[in-house]
Amino acid sequence: QVQLVESGGGLVQAGGSLRLACAASGIIFSFNHMGWYRQAPGKQRELVARITSGGNPNYADSVKGRFTISRDNAKTTVYLQMNSLKPEDTAVYYCNANLFDYDFWGQGTQVTVSS
């Protein structure tokens, strides 16, 4: 049974920081590309950051220079360090594990940035 469990969301003021974590089980973590997506009210889910099984990251333009994705294969956990948060970063953040045609999702964690 695959489980992706996100943590670390919350309420923060603009300019602040949060660190999200996603603990994975039931998958061969090191084989999977891992990603963070977000969905704001009334908007489609969008990619925030992704890190390949080989450790190569890529980011949405809107978060480049502010967010950092990392992974710890020994702990089967992927992180998203979010700095200089803006109100437009407010959304539910979802963890994703991808391997070929398989996609698994976490339940999401709310991030709210107040102005």
Side-chain angles (χ1 to χ4, degrees):
Q1 180 183 359
V2 178
Q3 281 193 311
L4 301 177
V5 180
E6 300 102 334
S7 60
L11 173 64
V12 64
Q13 287 189 330
S17 298
L18 284 174
R19 188 192 195 206
L20 304 183
C22 170
S25 60
I27 59 173
I28 304 175
F29 184 82
S30 61
F31 285 8
N32 279 261
H33 308 309
M34 301 298 298
W36 287 97
Y37 290 71
R38 66 186 180 189
Q39 188 166 18
K43 294 188 177 181
Q44 288 192 332
R45 191 174 296 189
E46 63 176 1
L47 174 67
V48 175
R50 188 170 180 264
I51 185 165
T52 68
S53 58
N56 295 312
N58 59 80
Y59 300 93
D61 287 343
S62 59
V63 306
K64 279 181 183 176
R66 300 189 298 122
F67 291 11
T68 302
I69 189 170
S70 61
R71 64 189 297 159
D72 185 333
N73 288 344
K75 295 183 178 179
T76 65
T77 300
V78 61
Y79 303 96
L80 186 68
Q81 178 67 44
M82 305 186 295
N83 298 329
S84 302
L85 282 160
K86 305 175 181 180
E88 51 263 44
D89 294 318
T90 294
V92 178
Y93 284 70
Y94 296 91
C95 178
N96 170 265
N98 168 255
L99 180 63
F100 300 120
D101 293 334
Y102 294 93
D103 274 294
F104 301 102
W105 295 92
Q107 81 288 350
T109 186
Q110 177 71 46
V111 171
T112 302
V113 184
S114 63
S115 56

